[in-house]
């Protein structure tokens, strides 16, 4: 499972940020590890230096071997909250998707 983390120009994408979120993805999606080929994470700050509630955005795009990519988006006041919300959404989406495949 390859993980790629992208940030917009308003967010500093340093090593520690990448390491932390990569480890959280690996732990959070471990049960789907054999089905996922690639995960792309996109972080953004939609208002730049201006203050605004819920202006941090996290988009998770999960690619699986034989399916279309699954994408979720979450907005929050911090990157961590946006990431955790997106991770929760992607877990639900993957669970639903793979349960439907088992049923057929």
């Amino acid at each position: 499972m390859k993980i790629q983390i992208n940030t917009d120009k308003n967010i500093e994408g340093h090593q520690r940020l990448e390491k932390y979120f990569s480890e959280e993805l690996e732990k959070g999606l471990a049960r789907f590890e054999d089905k996922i080929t690639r995960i792309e994470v996109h972080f953004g700050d939609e208002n730049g230096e201006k203050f605004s509630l819920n202006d941090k955005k996290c988009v998770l795009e999960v690619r699986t071997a034989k399916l279309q990519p699954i994408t979720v988006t979450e907005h929050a006041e911090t990157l961590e909250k946006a990431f955790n919300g997106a991770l929760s959404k992607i877990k639900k989406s993957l669970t639903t998707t793979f349960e439907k495949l088992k049923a057929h």
Side-chain angles (χ1 to χ4, degrees), residues 18-66:
E18 285 190 30
K19 184 176 188 285
Y20 171 75
F21 289 117
S22 292
E23 288 173 357
E24 290 298 308
L25 279 170
E26 287 172 2
K27 282 190 285 189
L29 300 177
R31 67 185 174 141
F32 304 110
E33 185 176 26
D34 59 329
K35 296 174 177 75
I36 296 173
T37 57
R38 178 185 175 116
I39 301 172
E40 287 190 34
V41 184
H42 301 273
F43 287 113
D45 184 341
E46 296 187 336
N47 291 332
E49 294 180 11
K50 294 182 269 178
F51 176 76
S52 175
L53 290 177
N54 299 330
D55 67 336
K56 305 296 187 280
K57 177 173 78 170
C58 178
V59 178
L60 287 179
E61 181 179 312
V62 175
R63 296 172 185 262
T64 60
K66 298 178 183 175

Side-chain angles (χ1 to χ4, degrees), residues 81-93:
K81 287 181 180 178
F83 173 80
N84 288 326
L87 182 59
S88 180
K89 285 181 179 180
I90 203 73
K91 282 181 192 178
K92 287 178 189 170
S93 292

